């Protein structure tokens, strides 16, 4: 497969890479999320990732930007691409437990609750509204927005939202061995709550069982006047599905071939059902000579922090696949 | 006097209006600040002002955008100019007691302490550093930055910083009757703390007796690559003085003629001493037929929330003095 599945027809004079950060309390349930050294520590992952991408290293805690199994985090890939392109990322705090260590656009939201027991995003409507204010602002300062996310546990909330909207969704995971049974157990409890809720629209589904990133990102998309492309896997499909449910046009989406090839999920089929144009990046991590990156090919990590979108943007700005691969290799090698 | 004291030699393709919000606990000392219905409520003023400017009205609380004496707030002027120019403002939260009701760039700072008794900004160095990250980002998305502020009680912290840096500063006030004696009492206590502190540089002075806005704004200025003009009165002189003290170039500053003409302060003399090029806006509020605005001419309010800078920017973008005055009149009349 080529580096990009398709060369998009986009011309940009002022591109912006941005990522929405949020927590869902689901990530603290042991076994749901692989995005952190322990269930509790998954709550910190968006903060540490944003620090790495903004500053080039993590100094607020004594940790390496590697997963518990020793793979480079997707944030490392995103950081590499910021260095290669010279872009300066904008992080957007949709609702975090821990305060970020770098400046973020903040909407003063709350972390998402556990959708098994409570409305996960009581302020979904207001988050959408604040997102729409951000979309207007970002439209004044950019003509292309690549919008990623970092929400540990977020594939499960995305699955609930997609199913709540009527899609037969199976979602991906940062684990090589997708904890499908646990996700189905969450869905069983969530579906009962959805049935009991007098919901009337897509943002009600997000309120019951989503996470703050989904509501905020949909709001940003609703007003952004330029080209916006969602950067992520099945989590971003939930955003596209909410946009569609609200009667908006459907945003395009870019992710890695590792998400597309995840047989435990059905990314491509879902994207087609939603009507989201999908782009895939194949960075060929299998033959870079780095064992941690190679494990992306057997299904670990796969995507996150807009890594696929960051590589896509670098390619769009004229950097060759070889330069992109080389840059990533050099960056992650430092943390072996 | 003409509308602008001088036509600046600036060409801009992507201007940005931004304002830094912060609290200092000094504003809760009765009599220090007129920017709120009560000393405690001054803490809310930056939040309400940002809401007015972003949304065009205040819905989170049942208040009018008028001062306790019935003058339109400077935020009303700034809002009018955003409507006239179509610009979308960016607010930056440097340290507030109450969470904003609109999206803000946030650096996760703390409100400033009372400099009579404690280090006012223990994180001054880190705020400067986070400001420098914001300056880089804003440089990617704009070529001209008009940077205002809203810090109730901030003229007193500015006076302390200016004097701590060696200037014989007298500062302005939102009161027609500047509470000079109270400010001098604060300074007496602060100067003893400054003498006792083993300070080594300008950011140490800010740490001892400034407010979060001063540290953050200096940081933004330190890296912003385009043209940056500070929008405010004596508070912004403190930022310019810190920049000069750090060996940086000295930013230009724009304010209203009402600040310049305040005999209880010495704005023009201080600007000259610091080496900050000063621009003055005379919106001629005396003959607009609005009693609240007319009271600006006898020394009430005078400036705030970058109001002078917002009018300056509107003029720079080609709007006539008449259109600017008319727009302000129409907006504030609504709240009579």
């Amino acid at each position: 497969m080529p580096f990009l599945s398709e060369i998009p027809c986009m011309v940009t004079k002022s591109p912006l890479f941005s990522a929405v950060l949020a927590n869902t309390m689901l990530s603290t349930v042991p076994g749901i999320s692989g995005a952190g050294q322990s269930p509790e520590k998954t709550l910190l992952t968006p903060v540490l990732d944003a620090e790495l991408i903004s500053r080039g290293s993590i100094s607020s805690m004594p940790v390496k930007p590697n997963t518990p199994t020793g793979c480079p985090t997707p944030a490392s890939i995103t950081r590499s691409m910021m260095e290669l392109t010279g872009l300066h990322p904008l992080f957007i705090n949709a609702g975090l437990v821990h305060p970020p260590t770098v400046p973020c656009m903040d909407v003063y939201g709350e972390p998402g609750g556990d959708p098994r027991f409570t409305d996960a995003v009581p302020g979904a409507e207001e988050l959408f509204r604040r997102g729409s204010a951000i979309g207007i602002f970002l439209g004044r300062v950019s003509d292309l927005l690549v919008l990623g996310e970092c929400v540990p546990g977020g594939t499960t909330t995305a699955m609930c939202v997609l199913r709540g909207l009527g899609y037969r969704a199976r979602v991906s995971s940062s684990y090589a061995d997708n904890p499908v049974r646990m996700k189905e157990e969450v869905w069983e409890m969530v579906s009962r709550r959805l049935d009991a809720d007098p919901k009337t629209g897509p943002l009600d589904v997000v309120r019951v069982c989503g996470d703050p990133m989904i509501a905020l990102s949909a709001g940003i998309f609703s007003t952004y006047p330029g080209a916006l492309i969602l950067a992520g896997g099945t989590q971003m499909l939930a955003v596209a599905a909410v946009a569609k449910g609200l009667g908006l046009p459907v945003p395009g989406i870019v992710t890695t071939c590792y998400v597309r090839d995840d047989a435990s999920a059905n990314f491509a089929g879902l994207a087609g059902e939603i009507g989201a144009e999908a782009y895939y990046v194949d960075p060929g991590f299998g033959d870079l000579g780095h064992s941690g990156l190679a494990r992306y090919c057997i299904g670990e990590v796969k995507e996150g922090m807009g890594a696929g979108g960051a590589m896509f943007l670098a390619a769009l700005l004229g950097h060759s696949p070889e330069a992109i691969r080389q840059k990533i290799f050099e960056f992650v090698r430092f943390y072996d």
Side-chain angles (χ1 to χ4, degrees), chain A residues 20 92 127-139 145-147 213-231 236 238-253 274-277:
Chain A
V20 178
I92 306 176
L127 273 179
F128 181 88
R129 183 183 176 193
R130 294 189 184 189
S132 68
I134 291 179
I136 293 170
F137 172 73
L138 296 183
L145 177 60
V146 176
L147 189 65
M213 180 281 292
I214 298 174
L216 190 73
S217 298
I220 293 170
F221 174 70
S222 73
T223 55
Y224 185 76
L228 185 149
I229 189 150
L230 298 171
M236 282 312 196
V239 176
V242 168
K244 183 181 184 168
L246 290 168
L248 298 166
V250 180
I253 185 163
I274 296 165
E277 184 158 20

Side-chain angles (χ1 to χ4, degrees), chain A residues 31 33 36 39 43 54 71 81 83 110 131 158 170 179 185 189 210-211 264 285-286 288 303 310:
Chain A
S33 171
L43 296 175
S54 286
C71 291
M81 294 303 94
E83 290 185 3
E110 296 288 324
R170 289 176 295 119
E185 284 168 10
M189 295 174 74
D211 60 57
S264 71
F285 284 164
L288 260 179
E303 167 67 288

Side-chain angles (χ1 to χ4, degrees), chain A residues 92-309:
Chain A
I92 306 176
N93 181 350
L96 291 170
V97 170
H98 300 288
T101 51
V102 297
C104 295
M105 185 76 83
D106 203 315
V107 295
Y108 305 101
E110 296 288 324
D114 185 334
R116 295 175 299 176
F117 309 116
T118 181
D119 268 8
V121 192
E125 292 270 359
E126 180 62 20
L127 273 179
F128 181 88
R129 183 183 176 193
R130 294 189 184 189
S132 68
I134 291 179
I136 293 170
F137 172 73
L138 296 183
R140 299 300 169 86
V141 300
S142 66
D143 61 5
L144 168 66
L145 177 60
V146 176
L147 189 65
E149 56 71 34
C150 182
V151 189
T155 54
T156 306
T157 45
M159 183 181 88
C160 292
V161 167
L162 285 163
R163 291 189 180 178
L165 292 170
Y167 299 95
R168 285 187 299 184
R170 289 176 295 119
V171 295
S172 198
S173 167
S174 57
Y175 282 118
D177 191 9
N178 195 344
V180 172
R181 205 175 50 80
M182 291 197 70
K183 291 181 179 175
E184 292 296 339
E185 284 168 10
V186 170
W187 168 245
E188 234 173 78
M189 295 174 74
V190 163
S191 66
R192 282 197 290 273
R193 289 194 56 249
L194 276 170
D195 288 343
D197 192 88
K199 60 188 185 299
T200 57
L203 289 173
D204 290 300
V205 176
V206 177
R207 168 177 54 77
V208 173
C209 63
D211 60 57
M213 180 281 292
I214 298 174
L216 190 73
S217 298
I220 293 170
F221 174 70
S222 73
T223 55
Y224 185 76
L228 185 149
I229 189 150
L230 298 171
T234 33
Q235 293 177 246
M236 282 312 196
L237 285 179
V239 176
V242 168
K244 183 181 184 168
L246 290 168
L248 298 166
V250 180
I253 185 163
V254 56
T255 189
T256 64
C257 59
Y258 311 119
V259 167
R260 181 199 56 198
D261 298 343
D262 180 357
S264 71
N266 57 340
F267 182 91
L270 275 171
E273 244 186 283
I274 296 165
E277 184 158 20
Y279 302 92
Y280 303 100
V281 178
D282 181 357
F285 284 164
D287 54 11
L288 260 179
H290 188 281
S291 61
L293 287 175
R295 291 221 299 284
Y296 275 62
C297 304
I298 56 166
E300 279 191 56
V301 190
K302 302 184 190 74
E303 167 67 288
M305 258 300 187

